[in-house]
Amino acid sequence: MKTTRTAAGFLLLVILLVLSGILNLISGSSSLTVPDVLAVLTGSNTDPAAGAIVLQIRLPRLIAAFLLGGALSVSGFLLQCFFGNPIAGPFVLGISSGAKLTVALTLVLCLRQGIVLGSWMLVAASFAGALLSMGWVLLFSGKVRSMALLIVSGVMLGYICSAITELVVTFADESNIVNLHNWSQGSFSGTSWQDIRIMTAIVTASLILTAFLAKPLGAYQLGEAYAENSGVNLRRFRAAVILLSSLLSACVTAFAGPVSFVGVAVPHLMKSLFGTAKPLIILPASFLGGGVFCLACDLLARIVFAPTELSISTVTAIFGAPVVIWILVRRQTRKEAA
Amino acid sequence: MMQLVARSLAAGYRRHLVCDGISFTVEPGKILTLIGPNGAGKSTILKTIAAQLPPLGGTVLLGDRVLHEMPEPAVARELSLFLTTRLHTELMTCRDVVESGRYPYTGRLGILSAHDHEVVEEAMALTHVTDLARQDFTCISDGQRQRVMLARAIAQEPSVLVLDEPTSYLDIRHKLELLTLIKQLVRERRTAVILSLHELELAERISDRLLCIRDGRIDRTGTPEEIFAGGYIASLYGMTQGSFNALYGVPELSPPAGLPEIFVLGGGGSGIPVYRRLQREGRPFAAGILPENDLDYPVARALAAQVISVPAFSTVDGAAVEKALAVMQQCSEVIVCCKAYGTVNAACKRLIEAAEQGGKLC
């Protein structure tokens, strides 16, 4: 029964992925038909405009939304296991905002000096910011045991970082403002194939390493003492979780800016869908689910008020935040029932 | 099966030394129990020998290897830990929890083999939690949860099982069930067990050896018979209120202060409930006339202001009766609870007559 549910869950995710992928390719300011898109993808296309739209704009954007959404959800799941806190996530804990701040600072400083930054540099800056925020959160979590306080500290950190980022953006050179402003609100637009190569490399490598964390994560769900008694080297495990979750969310921030609530909402939706919290199932499910979630949200961001585009965080917040509220309410009622 | 040996172990947290000079052996098929007052260092010792804390001095040997130098998975296959801290799991069934005991045996991705599943089923059958397998771990009772956690520990197939106050939060029935299971494990699988307990009467019953920890040192070690002899328990715990009845394994509160107001004529166990009631009501009383091997005697000694007794297996004689009459004079009430009068206590009937004449009988 369990295996059928798992299989059905993954099947559903794949179907949703294909569906939202197709919708993302065909809809937009110039609508295409499925045969049009197929023609482009198979190379039998004769319309250069359609080819450019699909290959240079929509396809890279689709891949970015999928990979980054998946990365964000996996990062969120890692953080939830690590802090034993169901509403932990890169955005809620201020890690995304920390990454955003360092990227904005690096961008503005380098642009002023006339240096053009490669994507790798942005990822590195973002990773540094993510680790700094993570350090703060860890320090704080050592001092307070309450999960609510931890989240509050993360949210506050997020606000501080966002405020400084706004300051930096405001005083940046005019020519850069438009781009920077868009990015600091969160968006998958303007992704190049070069970006795709880099994010694919980072996300794939991180995911392979994360797969090996599935086992210790499972042991860790019973708490530190039992994890250690199950043979987990806690120090190495902690370092791995911190580095991987930071790297994954840093990668997202470097390419798409801050994307809110995906990291909290998607792993939780997946746990409900699969009826388990086993990392071996939830890790891949979160990746797929996060990808689908961001594809769908990006589609809405593009088409609802077209030609005006919404920031991706606006849409993910609308669908993600209620999930967080639902988690909290359900936990409370469960606690009262017990 | 391996044994675990602690050699002049010093345990604590980084700079804070909690206990020192701890040496003991946990043998296969034996139960070693740590007793002692709160804060004496029992948990710290258990955490250290379970490789959760590095030792501050001395060594712990698991078989012939130094425990803290062994790789984590190797320790996990030999030593299992059972804690009382409540777990907050999410969407984990009881089977998931038990299966986590197999982690040290699984490969890189932690997928269980057919053999692993067999061991899990066996462990759940042993602790009678097979019916709970599909239930959520957070939705079962404390007693069931402890049994599931024990199944987890058993599924780990350890040589040494370390349990930190396994009976906390459990009612008397579940305490007995849990300890019976541990006994069974020790007998059938020759597991070496070390645990800490606060319930002295249970410690006395299940342990092969006791280790008494006080102020971070081993105060005494021995068989339950040795440890529970004399007034040692009261001194181990530094008891200033009440006493511990080692024979019955029960604690008694302090006797009410003052001169006896009531005379209780007990014997054969009939006096105990009355003594306890008077103690609760805070009324000092005298108890008599009890042979020193009477069931009532130890409790009377603990609770009465004065006890009139005769040597064990002796008949109540005239001298004792005179003494009892003198005490009764000072009391305003007499309670007769003894119903059986044989050759030994026939003389007590004189006391009843005297009480009746004085109008003190109630």
Side-chain angles (χ1 to χ4, degrees):
Chain A
M1 191 207 95
K2 261 226 154 121
T3 42
T4 22
R5 182 168 182 178
T6 309
F10 278 113
L11 188 67
L12 176 70
L13 287 177
V14 170
I15 292 172
L16 286 174
L17 175 64
V18 172
L19 267 180
S20 53
I22 293 171
L23 283 173
N24 263 290
L25 286 177
I26 61 170
S27 42
S29 50
S30 82
S31 338
L32 300 170
T33 60
V34 177
D36 289 343
V37 172
L38 274 179
V40 172
L41 293 180
T42 52
S44 60
N45 172 53
T46 48
D47 178 4
I53 289 173
V54 171
L55 290 179
Q56 296 310 318
I57 300 176
R58 291 192 189 161
L59 192 59
R61 181 168 181 158
L62 177 152
I63 296 174
F66 173 71
L67 281 177
L68 299 181
L72 209 48
S73 309
V74 170
S75 168
F77 181 65
L78 288 176
L79 291 170
Q80 284 154 31
C81 290
F82 185 75
F83 287 106
N85 188 330
I87 55 170
F91 189 79
V92 180
L93 291 175
I95 295 165
S96 295
S97 308
K100 178 172 86 166
L101 174 60
T102 47
V103 172
L105 279 175
T106 321
L107 268 177
V108 167
L109 284 177
C110 290
L111 287 172
R112 194 164 288 170
Q113 306 292 320
I115 307 168
V116 179
L117 278 171
S119 305
W120 284 109
M121 288 299 294
L122 285 186
V123 175
S126 179
F127 187 45
L131 280 181
L132 280 176
S133 300
M134 189 75 183
W136 157 265
V137 172
L138 284 175
L139 258 180
F140 201 82
S141 74
K143 296 238 187 291
V144 294
R145 287 262 147 251
S146 148
M147 84 173 205
L149 275 179
L150 182 69
I151 297 295
V152 171
S153 92
V155 171
M156 292 304 137
L157 178 68
Y159 272 112
I160 296 169
C161 291
S162 291
I164 303 176
T165 311
E166 285 303 308
L167 261 174
V168 172
V169 170
T170 309
F171 289 104
D173 277 343
E174 300 217 357
S175 57
N176 305 317
I177 288 182
V178 183
N179 259 334
L180 211 51
H181 186 75
N182 260 345
W183 169 84
S184 73
Q185 298 297 310
S187 168
F188 292 119
S189 68
T191 314
S192 70
W193 280 106
Q194 173 62 15
D195 293 341
I196 297 287
R197 272 191 285 277
I198 293 171
M199 71 177 76
T200 310
I202 295 173
V203 172
T204 313
S206 310
L207 286 181
I208 291 171
L209 292 174
T210 309
F212 291 119
L213 281 184
K215 180 178 166 174
L217 274 174
Y220 201 75
Q221 284 173 331
L222 285 180
E224 279 183 15
Y226 285 114
E228 200 165 20
N229 184 235
S230 297
V232 177
N233 182 323
L234 279 184
R235 199 176 296 177
R236 234 182 295 161
F237 170 73
R238 281 199 199 109
V241 171
I242 290 168
L243 289 176
L244 283 173
S245 60
S246 301
L247 182 60
L248 283 167
S249 54
C251 182
V252 177
T253 308
F255 290 110
V259 182
S260 59
F261 292 107
V262 177
V264 187
V266 173
H268 194 79
L269 290 172
M270 292 305 119
K271 285 178 210 164
S272 302
L273 176 64
F274 286 87
T276 179
K278 272 189 191 149
L280 205 57
I281 294 172
I282 298 302
L283 277 173
S286 288
F287 181 69
L288 271 178
V292 171
F293 188 81
C294 279
L295 277 182
C297 288
D298 194 37
L299 183 69
L300 291 176
R302 278 168 50 207
I303 63 169
V304 172
F305 294 107
T308 311
E309 216 176 86
L310 297 171
S311 78
I312 182 71
S313 273
T314 310
V315 185
T316 53
I318 288 172
F319 293 101
V323 176
V324 177
I325 297 171
W326 171 50
I327 300 172
L328 292 175
V329 170
R330 211 175 63 164
R331 275 181 74 89
Q332 194 57 41
T333 45
R334 232 194 242 161
K335 216 181 264 172
E336 275 158 17
Chain B
M1 283 291 145
M2 295 183 182
Q3 62 176 15
L4 183 138
V5 183
R7 278 197 196 139
S8 46
L9 187 68
Y13 303 84
R14 278 185 202 163
R15 275 177 227 140
H16 178 55
L17 183 74
V18 177
C19 22
D20 200 1
I22 308 290
S23 300
F24 58 82
T25 305
V26 197
E27 292 169 62
K30 291 276 161 67
I31 297 178
L32 177 72
T33 305
L34 269 55
I35 59 170
N38 286 330
K42 301 186 296 291
S43 286
T44 314
I45 293 172
L46 291 180
K47 273 184 201 157
T48 308
I49 62 158
Q52 302 258 320
L53 282 176
L56 299 183
T59 47
V60 181
L61 295 175
L62 185 56
D64 49 9
R65 288 201 278 176
V66 177
L67 176 80
H68 291 89
E69 290 169 5
M70 289 167 69
E72 288 89 354
V75 174
R77 282 190 289 268
E78 297 298 342
L79 189 147
S80 184
L81 183 66
F82 179 103
L83 298 167
T84 313
T85 40
R86 287 183 192 224
L87 291 173
H88 301 284
T89 56
E90 196 192 359
L91 287 174
M92 281 182 95
T93 63
C94 293
R95 176 177 277 119
D96 291 340
V97 172
V98 179
E99 281 178 355
S100 76
R102 295 305 294 171
Y103 271 93
Y105 297 92
T106 55
R108 275 233 169 258
L109 291 179
I111 297 167
L112 273 68
S113 67
H115 172 69
D116 290 324
H117 282 294
E118 251 169 56
V119 174
V120 166
E121 291 303 325
E122 223 174 273
M124 291 205 293
L126 195 68
T127 62
H128 316 296
V129 291
T130 312
D131 295 342
L132 300 174
R134 280 162 170 236
Q135 295 214 36
D136 192 295
F137 185 68
T138 50
C139 298
I140 57 175
S141 72
D142 282 334
Q144 292 171 329
R145 217 168 290 162
Q146 297 289 65
R147 288 213 307 268
V148 172
M149 290 313 290
L150 188 64
R152 177 202 169 273
I154 293 170
Q156 214 172 328
E157 297 188 308
S159 299
V160 181
L161 177 59
V162 180
L163 306 99
D164 193 5
E165 287 172 26
T167 50
S168 316
Y169 302 127
L170 296 186
D171 63 27
I172 182 68
R173 174 191 146 192
H174 290 108
K175 272 179 188 165
L176 291 178
E177 278 181 10
L178 191 81
L179 293 177
T180 309
L181 280 172
I182 293 171
K183 263 289 195 214
Q184 192 184 347
L185 198 64
V186 166
R187 209 172 40 238
E188 290 175 4
R189 304 198 174 187
R190 311 255 325 134
T191 311
V193 172
I194 177 167
L195 73 162
S196 62
L197 276 182
H198 274 305
E199 294 89 345
L200 294 171
E201 72 283 9
L202 299 177
E204 185 186 3
R205 281 153 187 67
I206 75 153
S207 316
D208 292 297
R209 278 190 88 74
L210 289 164
L211 205 61
C212 309
I213 311 292
R214 189 182 178 189
D215 299 331
R217 307 204 153 263
I218 296 183
D219 201 53
R220 205 180 268 197
T221 167
T223 61
E225 294 79 14
E226 289 160 1
I227 299 299
F228 282 86
Y232 173 65
I233 292 296
S235 83
L236 171 66
Y237 283 87
M239 283 163 65
T240 50
Q241 296 294 312
S243 56
F244 184 78
N245 182 337
L247 208 54
Y248 297 165
V250 291
E252 298 290 359
L253 294 168
S254 308
L259 291 169
E261 297 168 5
I262 302 159
F263 192 95
V264 184
L265 187 58
S270 65
I272 294 175
V274 180
Y275 304 154
R276 295 243 164 88
R277 174 168 61 82
L278 294 172
Q279 196 282 334
R280 277 199 304 278
E281 291 167 0
R283 300 165 75 189
F285 63 92
I289 300 170
L290 304 168
E292 282 170 11
N293 62 333
D294 194 279
L295 266 178
D296 283 346
Y297 183 72
V299 183
R301 278 293 300 270
L303 298 182
Q306 197 176 355
V307 183
I308 295 106
S309 61
V310 293
F313 300 107
S314 307
T315 310
V316 174
D317 55 8
V321 172
E322 289 308 320
K323 210 168 144 196
L325 281 172
V327 175
M328 209 193 262
Q329 281 288 307
Q330 293 153 18
C331 296
S332 50
E333 277 177 44
V334 175
I335 299 173
V336 178
C337 31
C338 186
K339 296 279 183 290
Y341 295 92
T343 49
V344 169
N345 64 349
C348 290
K349 287 184 179 162
R350 269 181 61 199
L351 295 176
I352 303 176
E353 283 160 22
E356 220 161 0
Q357 280 161 15
K360 291 178 180 175
L361 204 61
C362 54

